[in-house]
Amino acid sequence: MSVGVWFRTDFDEPSVPAALPMELTTGMHPSLTIVDQMVRGRGIIGRITGDFGAVAVKVAGTGGPVRVTVSIGLDEVSTRWWADRVRPSRTTPELPRLVVLRAQGRIRGSVVLARRQGWRGAASAEATLSFDLAEGELDGDGLLMVELGETPPPAWAAGRLSIRPVVGLRFNSIAVCATSVPAPATVSAGSTGCDFAVLQPGAALSQRLSTQAVPAAPPLPLTPRNRFTRRRPARAAFKVARAARRVAYRAMPARPGPLSGVLAADVLTGTPISIEVSGDEIRLPGPIETPVLLGAVQAQPTLAWRLR
């Protein structure tokens, strides 16, 4: 008898391994066997409640290499959950979130997410990270472990990136399919929404960086904290004030100016990395095995980067 059987009750439903190719988009699927510091969702896999979040999915693996694609989301609820736990100042704008993704206990990549302000509300941010699991990493037992965690930012990025960045983030979906051609980790193309970008392990030594002007980051949504601010008149006043701030933030002219320069550091250790910058081209000194964070020398909160 296996140890796990001892803890089973008559109310537990047996896990059902998902066949390849698999796409998991809900937390109610029977192949989702474990969630850690997460609440399950119906339209998403789940939302993270702590400083890290992990899911374990039962997959009918063959033992061969597979390609895993994980979609991560940042929305209004994410930011409100974060604000309710961190309790920042009301004048603090949203800051970009830098997170790392582990699978089967190893770092597979990193993403940065940032929301921008619209006229009626802030837009959501989403990043999709794809990576390979080598032969034998997803065997017949088929337990796929995926975790989102935080990492200390390098010294030059302190105060420009969110603290406790994982709180409130969403696991939108996880997809797994068999593959025969190894490929480096990739992140969904598009603007990061901020003056940061991340190079994934195995990235090409030469990258092109394009920039564009974007609206400022939105004001933080804060839940009333005491019995006076919870009353209806006060709550209505807060809503009106926040709506006014949204319009003011969106109306602010976006004048980021020219790119001030680019710094690079290892995401995991914060160790500086020397890079060559020529126009819009960035060259690395050699192959990278861990994610690398790129950031502007001087903060430009209305500038968004895109690597291509």
Side-chain angles (χ1 to χ4, degrees), residues 10-287:
D10 290 340
F11 298 100
D12 291 326
E13 296 182 3
S15 60
V16 178
L20 296 180
M22 177 209 80
E23 184 174 10
L24 184 67
T25 58
T26 175
M28 302 296 112
H29 198 276
S31 65
L32 185 61
T33 59
I34 301 172
V35 293
D36 190 1
Q37 295 206 86
M38 282 185 53
V39 292
R40 301 189 189 211
R42 292 189 178 276
I44 60 174
I45 295 175
R47 192 179 295 275
I48 300 172
T49 61
D51 291 330
F52 75 92
V55 298
V57 186
K58 193 74 170 175
V59 182
T62 62
V66 295
R67 186 76 171 174
V68 182
T69 302
V70 181
S71 173
I72 306 160
L74 169 65
D75 59 9
E76 183 85 359
V77 177
S78 305
T79 307
R80 187 176 291 276
W81 278 31
W82 180 91
D84 288 346
R85 286 157 177 78
V86 179
R87 299 293 188 181
S89 166
R90 288 189 178 274
T91 59
T92 302
E94 286 191 29
L95 294 175
R97 301 200 190 194
L98 174 68
V99 296
V100 294
L101 187 143
R102 296 181 179 86
Q104 310 303 69
R106 290 178 50 199
I107 297 291
R108 306 294 176 168
S110 176
V111 298
V112 60
L113 299 123
R115 299 200 309 150
R116 311 314 303 182
Q117 183 59 59
W119 286 111
R120 299 185 61 184
S124 299
E126 184 174 322
T128 302
L129 182 65
S130 298
F131 55 90
D132 285 347
L133 295 183
E135 184 176 357
E137 289 193 271
L138 189 64
D139 55 17
D141 291 339
L143 194 62
L144 173 63
M145 296 289 300
V146 179
E147 176 187 353
L148 275 183
E150 62 181 277
T151 181
W156 50 265
R160 295 168 54 186
L161 291 168
S162 175
I163 60 173
R164 304 184 65 187
V166 182
V167 175
L169 291 185
R170 314 178 345 166
F171 273 114
N172 291 331
S173 64
I174 298 175
V176 184
C177 63
T179 183
S180 57
V181 181
T186 59
V187 69
S188 52
S191 168
T192 62
C194 60
D195 55 346
F196 290 98
V198 180
L199 291 174
Q200 306 304 324
L205 299 184
S206 178
Q207 301 279 338
R208 291 199 176 276
L209 174 65
S210 60
T211 62
Q212 68 180 83
V214 292
L220 287 171
L222 298 177
T223 302
R225 301 178 181 178
N226 56 57
R227 62 191 182 93
F228 298 105
T229 57
R230 289 194 187 102
R231 293 177 179 173
R232 287 187 176 180
R235 292 179 72 116
F238 284 142
K239 287 182 179 179
V240 171
R242 187 157 182 261
R245 282 190 297 163
R246 281 175 169 168
V247 174
Y249 273 53
R250 184 64 179 85
M252 289 173 57
R255 299 193 184 98
L259 186 63
S260 60
V262 182
L263 296 173
D266 187 294
V267 165
L268 304 183
T269 64
T271 304
I273 296 176
S274 298
I275 58 173
E276 297 179 9
V277 181
S278 177
D280 64 349
E281 184 179 11
I282 297 174
R283 291 194 61 84
L284 293 167

